[in-house]
């Protein structure tokens, strides 16, 4: 396969970037999108040019490190797939592919296709945890969880924090990420003690960095784990409850 | 976490409204109030299709009855003005929330994608909410000038306070005005097609049993409001009424 790539090149944070066109010849259809970028980088290096910087780690769709905008779609044209699991056979021979970094004010560009997603870490620090005794691990299944609840919590926990939801959102909102993280813990018995402070804090920290949800549903389609926007509804319901509950907690009543 | 502590100090409704999720709640609740008003307004106006009562048009009697709600318990016009005030507050809140969320969202997404942006889930209605809302607001002002205040040249020349039926027929006998009303109803229907579904999501009303109904409800509501309202100017224009 021969591919024409239009890649966003930017030397560093805050500087002006632009598209650069590369011809990538002899691409195997069995290559993943990232392997195709590796091939390009190898050739660029051999030519003495600066390789294209992009984020990647596990390359098996579970770490959430990779992710670029491919032809205007986060993680490319295949739904429910991270960039590393997208294969070149999904593209036509001779196709022109536009590759851009996630664009959102909450995700400043560091270099080329790499963005700074530490705003997600700020949201997690605000409440994406439970408080437990450390020490030896407790026996499994000591705390009974109804099966449907466990399944739903697991669906939320599937979030790998790649940021595709923010990238795809026309408002640069992180509601799907935050909702997944909030719901994952709010659904489970272990998450109940901090449920209301978690919801309030995570939502409010999220709003310091990102936009607001207008229910387009683009995030759900962009998500490599196909996380449902039903979780955003759950978070909205819990947020208003949290405002009441936290007033009671302030008076040291449950 | 400073924001949470700061918010805790403000009274609950203000602290809640300060957050974007809270503003979306406000948009949903005020949107629902406007939907209920729109339906009541439409049903009331259907009285133009009914025959006169003792020589007085049915709708004129209805308009007079609205002014005298709860009379003589309260002076005339009081209940009507309470409802009007409520409606004005609801509209202002809806607009303010939409405005400030728009500012927030513009800030959150400053650089657009240079590549061909492909929307998968967002539809025409959801992407034009600001336009359909603004067009409808402009129409609303025209509508008030036309049939409530009787301001020229929006109102017909023969406009007279209290003569609801005559004003109604006179205004829609002007083809461009009738057309404007139909176009505005199309904008409203488009707004409702996304808004009435979005409302459930913002309020956290989400259950697998009725999630499938939410979009159907929004579509049904949009069609009802469009057809139910547009039929009135069209009826006058084609001489079925008046």
């Amino acid at each position: 396969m021969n591919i024409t790539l239009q890649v966003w090149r930017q030397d560093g944070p805050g500087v002006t970037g632009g598209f650069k066109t590369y011809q990538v010849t002899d691409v195997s259809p069995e290559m993943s999108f990232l392997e195709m970028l590796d091939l390009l980088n190898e050739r660029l290096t051999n030519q003495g040019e600066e390789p294209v910087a992009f984020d990647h780690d596990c390359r098996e769709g579970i770490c959430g490190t990779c992710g670029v905008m491919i032809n205007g779609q986060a993680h490319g044209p295949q739904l429910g797939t991270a960039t590393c699991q997208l294969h070149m056979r999904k593209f036509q021979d001779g196709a022109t592919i536009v590759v851009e970094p996630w664009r959102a004010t909450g995700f400043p560009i560091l270099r080329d296709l790499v963005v700074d997603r530490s705003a997600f870490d700020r949201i997690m620090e605000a409440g994406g945890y439970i408080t437990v005794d450390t020490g030896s691990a407790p026996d499994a299944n000591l705390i009974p969880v109804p099966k449907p609840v466990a399944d739903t919590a697991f669906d939320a926990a599937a979030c790998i924090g790649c940021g595709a939801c923010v990238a795809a959102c026309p408002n640069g909102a992180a509601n799907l990420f935050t909702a997944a993280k909030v719901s994952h813990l709010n659904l489970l018995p272990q998450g109940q003690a901090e449920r209301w402070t978690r919801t309030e804090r995570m939502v409010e920290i999220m709003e310091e960095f990102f936009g607001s949800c207008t229910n387009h549903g683009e995030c759900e389609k962009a998500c490599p784990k196909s996380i449902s926007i039903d979780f955003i509804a759950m978070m909205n319901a819990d947020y208003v409850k949290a405002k009441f509950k936290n007033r009671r907690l302030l008076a040291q009543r449950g | 976490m400073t924001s949470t502590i700061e918010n805790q100090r403000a009274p609950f409704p203000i602290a809640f409204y300060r957050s974007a999720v809270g503003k979306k709640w406000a948009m949903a609740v005020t949107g629902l109030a406007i939907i209920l008003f729109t339906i009541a307004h439409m049903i009331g106006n259907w009285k133009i299709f009914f025959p006169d009562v003792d020589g007085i048009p049915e709708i004129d009697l209805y308009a007079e009855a609205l002014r005298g709600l709860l009379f003589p318990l309260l002076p005339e016009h009081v209940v009507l003005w309470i409802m009007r005030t409520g409606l004005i507050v609801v509209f202002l809140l809806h607009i303010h929330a939409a405005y400030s969320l728009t500012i927030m969202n513009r800030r959150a997404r400053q650089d657009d994608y240079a590549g061909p942006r492909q929307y998968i889930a967002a539809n025409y209605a959801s992407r034009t909410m600001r336009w359909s809302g603004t067009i409808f607001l402009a129409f609303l002002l025209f509508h008030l000038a036309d049939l409530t205040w009787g301001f020229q040249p929006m109102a017909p020349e023969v406009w007279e306070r209290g003569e609801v039926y005559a004003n109604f027929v006179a205004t829609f006998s002007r083809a461009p005005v009738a057309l404007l009303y139909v176009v505005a109803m199309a904008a409203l229907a488009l707004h409702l097609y996304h808004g009435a579904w979005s409302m459930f999501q913002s309020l956290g009303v989400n259950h697998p049993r009725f999630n499938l109904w939410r979009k159907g409800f929004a579509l049904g509501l949009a069609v009802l409001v469009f057809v139910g309202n547009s039929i009135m100017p069209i009826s006058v224009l084609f001489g079925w009424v008046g």
Side-chain angles (χ1 to χ4, degrees), chain A residues 103 105 168 212 215 218 229, chain B residues 105 107 109 117 121-122 198 201:
Chain A
R103 289 187 197 277
T105 309
S212 78
N215 302 319
E218 282 294 320
I229 54 171
Chain B
N105 294 345
R107 208 178 296 142
R109 159 58 51 73
R117 184 76 169 93
S198 182
Q201 195 70 8

Side-chain angles (χ1 to χ4, degrees), chain B residues 113-124:
Chain B
Y113 288 101
R117 184 76 169 93
Q118 289 179 23
Y119 290 102
I120 315 167
N123 54 38
Y124 185 74

Side-chain angles (χ1 to χ4, degrees), chain A residues 8 19 69 71-74 79 98 100-106 109 125-126 129 166-173 175 197 200-201 203-218 221-222 229-237 239-240 243-244 246-247 250, chain B residues 1-5 7-8 10-13 15-22 24-25 101-102 104-123 125-130 194-195 197-208 211 214-215:
Chain A
W8 184 264
F19 281 98
M69 207 71 176
N71 280 341
Q73 280 181 269
L79 298 188
V98 183
E100 287 175 87
W102 297 159
R103 289 187 197 277
T105 309
I109 296 172
E125 285 163 8
Y129 52 81
V166 175
C169 178
N171 308 318
N175 289 48
T197 45
E200 195 175 350
R201 283 178 180 166
V203 166
E204 282 166 18
I205 295 299
M206 165 188 83
E207 289 177 359
E208 287 179 13
F209 295 97
F210 299 101
S212 78
C213 178
T214 50
N215 302 319
H216 286 296
E218 282 294 320
K221 296 289 178 212
I229 54 171
D230 290 351
F231 289 114
I232 298 181
M234 278 188 209
M235 180 177 74
N236 290 342
Y239 182 73
V240 73
K243 282 288 179 189
F244 286 105
N246 288 339
R247 277 176 65 83
L250 214 60
Chain B
M1 255 145 287
T2 49
S3 65
T4 305
I5 294 158
N7 276 354
Q8 220 79 298
F12 163 73
F16 184 55
Y17 188 72
R18 262 184 207 159
S19 73
V21 172
K24 288 298 288 185
W25 265 77
L101 289 172
T102 301
M104 176 184 185
N105 294 345
R106 292 250 162 95
R107 208 178 296 142
R109 159 58 51 73
Q110 282 162 345
D111 306 310
D112 225 343
Y113 288 101
R117 184 76 169 93
Q118 289 179 23
Y119 290 102
I120 315 167
N123 54 38
S126 75
R127 283 185 286 124
T128 54
M129 286 302 272
R130 283 152 201 159
H194 179 69
W197 171 80
S198 182
M199 174 178 81
F200 292 108
Q201 195 70 8
S202 297
L203 296 177
V205 180
N206 183 292
H207 192 284
N211 273 0
R214 298 186 301 178
K215 285 209 163 149

